[in-house]
Amino acid sequence: MGTIARAFVAVATLASCATTKVAPLTDSASGYAAEEDESALIRQAEEYEQKLRAQGLIYEDPELQQYLDGVCRKLVPQAAADRVQFHFAVVREPTINAFSLPQGGIYLHAGLLARLENEAQLAHVVGHEITHTVKRHQLTFVRSLQNKTVAAKVAQMVLVPAAVAFGGGVGGNLVSSVLGLTYVAAVTGYGRENEEEADAEGLKLAAASGYRVQEAPRLFAVLNEVEDPGALQTFFYSDHPANQTRARYTQALLDSGTISIPAQGVTNGEAYQNATRGVAQENIHLRLQKGHYQYALAEAEAGLARRGDDAWLHYYAGEAHRQIAADPEGAAREQVMRHRKEADKALIESLKQRAGEERAAARAAYLRALELDPTLALAHRGIGLVAYQQGDKQTTRDELQAYLRGTQKVTDKRYIEKILAEVAQ
Amino acid sequence: MIGTNRRRRGFLAVTAIALMLAGCTTTVRKHPEFAQRRAKIANVAVLPPDVEVVRVVFKGDNQLLNEEAARIRSRLPDLIAAAMRKQGFTVKEAGLDEQHFAEKPDLRFQTTQLQDAFARADQQMFKVVQMSKSEAENYKTTLGTDVITIADHADVDALVVAKMNGFKKSGGEIAKDVAITVLIAVATLGNAVATQPTKGASLQVALVDGTTGDILWANTAGTAGDFEDSGLGAMVEQVFKGFPK
């Protein structure tokens, strides 16, 4: 073992040599040229973005794009903009997240845009993501990941045979998994320093653009209100300190006097809400597609609290109620995910018992949508499907036929005609 | 200690094989209403499969092998379509290509969503690959009613969705495996020799009801070897061995 151990130390030491200290893009003293591994990362990022587009995952809305470009471009430091072409896109994904890639792509999930309250909060998130690219955090992160992976694999080469020899096959597996966990913990631990740096620099960028930086701690409070462990823990700033800690951290930064705070910082709440109205509705649709019925309902109701006369929001509320009634198992799975508890039959049973109330709520919401906009034929579809669930053939027929006669594009004609044929019997 | 563990592992392996041979477990998942629903399905369309091939490298930043994945993506639908025809289905074109995407831009996203829904269902369905027959023959899961839009577009009663994940190890990764094998052999004085595959893949295929999104049948197969040439056909064949008559 002595020789192997010495070899392990030597190889692990050599393997950990790749430098994680790189100059930021804004460093005028150092001439910027992407290093070999960084060029590979940039190529991968370009391929990734192409894939997002090929899969239809980039949300296309020219007006929103114009608004985002206007807000986000002014946050990019000029020296960095000269070296990397920054661009901004919305990803059709309802989880709350934003991320940046080294080729200059900054990606905002629809779920994040639907949740933020104003432009100042958006500026902080985007400033944070821009900082990751300006500081070349992607490169340093990958290098440290490689260093750790190589060290872990060298350790695996030594420890697995040793465990097989001394502890048998089961022991071997245990050593592998313990080593894996340590490795994962070490890798995720690397994020914290970078994230704090991005928060601090992001604040400075937002402040320099005249935004009300006091919105930064508020941003984390807003995100903390979402009972969405899947999004918050797995996606949004997944290797970041907890949102509460970050709220305290950003507040401390503001209190420290190290950031020059604009006297009359802007929030632009109304402009933000107007610009993101479409993507917020798209997000409700995405939630429903993913079986997040209760989130969809909560988002529709939040929208209705601001704009009670929005026919589409009433329609989406109806869709959420209808799908909770139609899919109690799915609704139970969502509750389990939201509240991180074990699935149980009692929960499914209680949701099944509430199906009648959900259908009534769905019908009321669809009717309200039609009151507000009689051309919203999808609401007829909803009423027809509720009636179909209830076994009311006449209403099913009348409403689904009204849907097919409507002026909106029908993408499920075959399915609707099948139901009509069934209820005609 | 080694002897005890070996005996225990041997016992478990023999028990698992005995259960499989006795027909108590299966990789097939079948909806409880399969027979009734199958009777109403005349035509199907095969969705573009979700294929990912990864090169596992020693440094850890594994690379996607896009060209290999694209080749498999273009071959797999034909193999699956042929297997479905053998089962008595009429197979129609899904119409989910660039030309159709240009005409109906939202189809692109809907196709991705469906693949995504299958990936999520697949994780649940095959979390435990071998399942007791009684449980597997009453397996209910759904991809949701968004399937309707695609089935409507293709004008079919049901859709066939597929997902494949393959890996190839780099020279460095293979060298690490060889080193582990040699060291295990040395450490156990030749009593244990562990070999690890240098490439492999798993394939999952499902038949999805075009009006409800329910998965009516699904199966999985894997290989610890070639998955690009004859290995791909062999995996498809293996998957369809489990199709109910």
Side-chain angles (χ1 to χ4, degrees):
Chain A
M1 277 296 284
T3 310
I4 295 173
R6 276 197 296 278
F8 162 65
V9 171
V11 177
T13 308
L14 284 172
S16 303
C17 281
T19 180
T20 54
K21 300 274 179 217
V22 294
L25 295 177
T26 44
D27 184 356
S28 53
S30 66
Y32 169 74
E35 296 184 37
E36 198 182 328
D37 52 350
E38 194 171 22
S39 295
L41 278 182
I42 290 170
R43 265 198 313 278
Q44 284 168 21
E46 285 164 352
E47 282 173 13
Y48 181 75
E49 183 170 316
Q50 276 171 16
K51 196 176 167 189
L52 285 180
R53 290 189 188 281
Q55 292 183 324
L57 286 167
I58 299 294
Y59 179 69
E60 309 278 359
D61 175 346
E63 282 180 30
L64 175 65
Q65 191 62 50
Q66 197 179 4
Y67 170 77
L68 286 177
D69 286 345
V71 173
C72 303
R73 286 201 190 287
K74 62 185 180 196
L75 295 165
V76 182
Q78 192 52 50
D82 292 343
R83 289 171 165 177
V84 168
Q85 198 178 351
F86 281 85
H87 53 283
F88 309 89
V90 179
V91 182
R92 288 168 107 173
E93 169 59 47
T95 46
I96 297 172
N97 196 18
F99 61 97
S100 48
L101 294 177
Q103 94 290 21
I106 308 284
Y107 307 87
L108 304 160
H109 283 199
L112 176 75
L113 292 178
R115 188 67 199 166
L116 299 181
E117 295 172 325
N118 55 49
E119 205 171 290
Q121 291 175 3
L122 172 68
H124 180 65
V125 171
V126 174
H128 176 106
E129 296 305 328
I130 288 170
T131 302
H132 280 314
T133 302
V134 169
K135 299 281 178 179
R136 297 159 83 187
H137 285 164
Q138 297 92 349
L139 176 66
T140 56
F141 180 80
V142 167
R143 282 184 178 172
S144 60
L145 175 76
Q146 286 177 343
N147 292 343
K148 283 182 166 53
T149 308
V150 172
K153 288 194 177 179
V154 172
Q156 189 187 358
M157 284 167 63
V158 177
L159 292 173
V160 173
V164 171
F166 298 108
V170 175
N173 289 338
L174 189 66
V175 169
S176 283
S177 64
V178 168
L179 200 63
L181 287 175
T182 312
Y183 155 67
V184 169
V187 168
T188 53
Y190 264 99
R192 192 182 188 103
E193 204 176 303
N194 286 349
E195 298 306 336
E196 288 191 347
E197 184 180 25
D199 268 343
E201 294 300 315
L203 267 181
K204 288 179 193 166
L205 293 176
S209 294
Y211 285 106
R212 187 174 185 275
V213 286
Q214 290 86 344
E215 286 297 317
R218 165 81 191 140
L219 160 72
F220 297 115
V222 167
L223 296 176
N224 227 23
E225 286 167 14
V226 186
E227 288 172 333
D228 191 348
L232 287 173
Q233 306 267 329
T234 314
F235 294 101
F236 186 57
Y237 299 164
S238 57
D239 59 350
H240 298 47
N243 284 314
Q244 280 175 343
T245 312
R246 297 185 68 199
R248 281 197 296 272
Y249 174 71
T250 47
Q251 189 59 57
L253 276 173
L254 295 176
D255 296 341
S256 69
T258 54
I259 291 167
S260 139
I261 300 173
Q264 301 261 309
V266 296
T267 50
N268 288 350
E270 202 178 329
Y272 179 82
Q273 292 295 336
N274 286 337
T276 57
R277 186 181 289 195
V279 74
Q281 281 191 11
E282 167 75 6
N283 196 59
I284 301 173
H285 181 62
L286 292 171
R287 287 281 196 200
L288 288 169
Q289 279 186 323
K290 289 193 183 284
H292 300 176
Y293 312 129
Q294 285 134 93
Y295 289 126
L297 183 59
E299 287 179 20
E301 284 173 346
L304 285 168
R306 288 192 292 270
R307 301 184 306 279
D309 59 350
D310 189 320
W312 276 98
L313 289 175
H314 284 287
Y315 162 73
Y316 280 125
E319 284 291 278
H321 283 299
R322 179 177 69 79
Q323 294 189 37
I324 290 169
D327 182 17
E329 284 92 356
R333 272 197 301 276
E334 187 193 1
Q335 284 208 17
V336 166
M337 179 186 83
R338 268 179 104 164
H339 305 298
R340 297 182 188 198
K341 59 180 187 184
E342 292 298 312
D344 63 53
K345 286 183 181 165
L347 176 62
I348 297 173
E349 205 44 50
S350 74
L351 284 162
K352 278 183 180 168
Q353 280 171 8
R354 265 188 23 218
E357 289 166 44
E358 295 289 351
R359 284 191 201 107
R363 187 179 154 81
Y366 291 133
L367 287 171
R368 180 76 182 120
L370 282 170
E371 253 177 56
L372 292 162
D373 180 0
T375 67
L376 212 169
L378 280 167
H380 285 296
R381 177 186 184 273
I383 298 171
L385 292 177
V386 167
Y388 178 61
Q389 281 177 22
Q390 291 169 317
D392 175 353
K393 290 186 177 183
Q394 186 61 47
T395 310
T396 305
R397 205 160 32 236
D398 294 348
E399 293 293 333
L400 293 184
Q401 280 168 350
Y403 163 56
L404 292 180
R405 281 196 307 272
T407 51
Q408 280 169 327
K409 189 175 70 177
V410 174
T411 58
D412 56 355
K413 194 172 172 214
R414 199 172 194 274
Y415 169 62
I416 297 298
E417 284 175 344
K418 221 169 187 174
I419 294 177
L420 285 171
E422 196 184 313
V423 294
Q425 285 169 1
Chain B
M1 180 93 179
I2 295 173
T4 311
N5 276 318
R6 276 201 193 137
R7 276 196 295 277
R8 191 184 302 146
R9 271 185 298 156
F11 173 75
L12 287 173
V14 169
T15 309
I17 291 166
L19 281 171
M20 270 173 63
L21 291 176
C24 295
T25 63
T26 177
T27 57
V28 173
R29 306 290 182 262
K30 203 172 87 176
H31 194 279
E33 293 167 14
F34 177 85
Q36 301 95 295
R37 305 242 198 133
R38 162 71 184 89
K40 291 180 186 170
I41 298 171
N43 43 45
V44 301
V46 182
L47 235 73
D50 182 6
V51 180
E52 195 171 277
V53 183
V54 175
R55 183 165 173 264
V56 182
V57 298
F58 189 70
K59 281 185 169 184
D61 52 339
N62 299 339
Q63 296 147 3
L64 287 176
L65 298 175
N66 294 324
E67 284 177 18
E68 281 86 340
R71 274 201 298 273
I72 293 168
R73 216 173 280 130
S74 70
R75 275 189 65 205
L76 199 49
D78 290 341
L79 292 167
I80 292 172
M84 289 302 286
R85 282 190 198 100
K86 274 190 192 169
Q87 301 298 331
F89 295 96
T90 300
V91 181
K92 295 172 84 172
E93 282 296 319
L96 298 170
D97 47 31
E98 285 305 318
Q99 188 193 331
H100 287 90
F101 290 154
E103 289 164 13
K104 296 183 184 173
D106 231 29
L107 266 184
R108 191 191 290 277
F109 179 61
Q110 282 156 350
T111 306
T112 303
Q113 289 294 92
L114 199 51
Q115 288 171 335
D116 186 39
F118 181 54
R120 274 181 278 129
D122 167 62
Q123 278 181 3
Q124 286 298 318
M125 275 194 298
F126 299 110
K127 203 191 290 183
V128 178
V129 176
Q130 289 289 342
M131 188 179 268
S132 74
K133 266 196 164 178
S134 57
E135 206 180 338
E137 290 187 349
N138 289 289
Y139 199 93
K140 280 173 85 173
T141 190
T142 182
L143 300 190
T145 48
D146 283 315
V147 167
I148 295 166
T149 314
I150 304 276
D152 226 76
H153 167 75
D155 194 22
V156 291
D157 304 313
L159 296 167
V160 184
V161 289
K163 181 173 172 289
M164 201 192 102
N165 289 87
F167 74 89
K168 288 179 175 180
K169 287 182 178 173
S170 68
E173 192 65 19
I174 293 169
K176 183 213 76 181
D177 288 346
V178 170
I180 289 178
T181 304
V182 171
L183 287 170
I184 286 175
V186 170
T188 60
L189 303 175
N191 284 319
V193 179
T195 54
Q196 301 189 46
T198 57
K199 57 183 170 179
S202 73
L203 171 70
Q204 293 80 34
V205 182
L207 176 66
V208 184
D209 188 323
T211 53
T212 61
D214 291 343
I215 291 187
L216 301 178
W217 164 88
N219 197 8
T220 182
T223 177
D226 164 56
F227 55 85
E228 290 170 282
D229 300 315
S230 59
L232 186 61
M235 268 202 296
V236 172
E237 203 173 306
Q238 183 65 29
V239 162
F240 278 91
K241 263 186 189 165
F243 201 89
K245 299 295 169 199

